[in-house]
Amino acid sequence: MAGLPERLDPADDSLPAWTERYLDLAVRGVRSAEVTAKISRHLQRFAAWISGGLGHDRLSAVTPREVSAWRDHLAAAGNRGRDGTPAPKPAPPATPSPRPSAASRRNATAYGPSTTKPAWTGPPPKPAWR
């Protein structure tokens, strides 16, 4: 893994040790206590999932493939609230109206009907000077 020394102390190569170091260096004191707790909880879930799947918690063995599988696992599990119930889904994007907008109607009347020509399928024309 990039940024890790060649020889790691086994205690430094564990996900729980890395989680604490990350929280100390990048989160605690920078984020609110609520956000810090949420990040910590997510990292603990990730470490538990990796340990359950790989059978160990060595950080150096975690590859982008495992991280991608974790993200897929989260997406498949769905968005759940703290009590385990499904979280409310966001509203779907508004569907476009089948009626053209006022601007497109103005442009259509101002510039007349479309004057696009069909694609030419014949041979190229011969020059007139030959």
Side-chain angles (χ1 to χ4, degrees):
M1 180 171 214
L4 292 176
E6 186 92 13
R7 294 256 176 186
L8 283 175
D9 180 7
D12 290 337
D13 193 26
S14 73
L15 277 168
W18 175 85
T19 297
E20 286 304 311
R21 183 176 298 143
Y22 174 77
L23 291 171
D24 287 340
L25 294 175
V27 179
R28 290 186 182 119
V30 177
R31 302 292 188 120
S32 69
E34 182 182 345
V35 171
T36 300
K38 186 175 182 179
I39 292 171
S40 176
R41 188 171 53 250
H42 287 302
L43 291 173
Q44 288 171 358
R45 281 191 219 151
F46 175 70
W49 187 81
I50 288 290
S51 297
L54 298 179
H56 58 77
D57 68 349
R58 286 192 349 255
L59 177 64
S60 59
V62 176
T63 65
R65 179 180 281 179
E66 278 86 31
V67 175
S68 179
W70 165 250
R71 294 180 68 186
D72 293 343
H73 163 76
L74 291 177
N79 191 7
R80 299 244 170 227
R82 290 184 183 171
D83 58 356
T85 60
K89 297 196 184 273
T95 56
S97 171
R99 183 173 178 224
S101 69
S104 65
R105 286 194 310 274
R106 272 194 309 274
N107 289 340
T109 56
Y111 299 114
S114 174
T115 58
T116 57
K117 296 179 182 176
W120 184 12
T121 57
K126 292 185 180 179
W129 47 271
R130 277 198 172 177

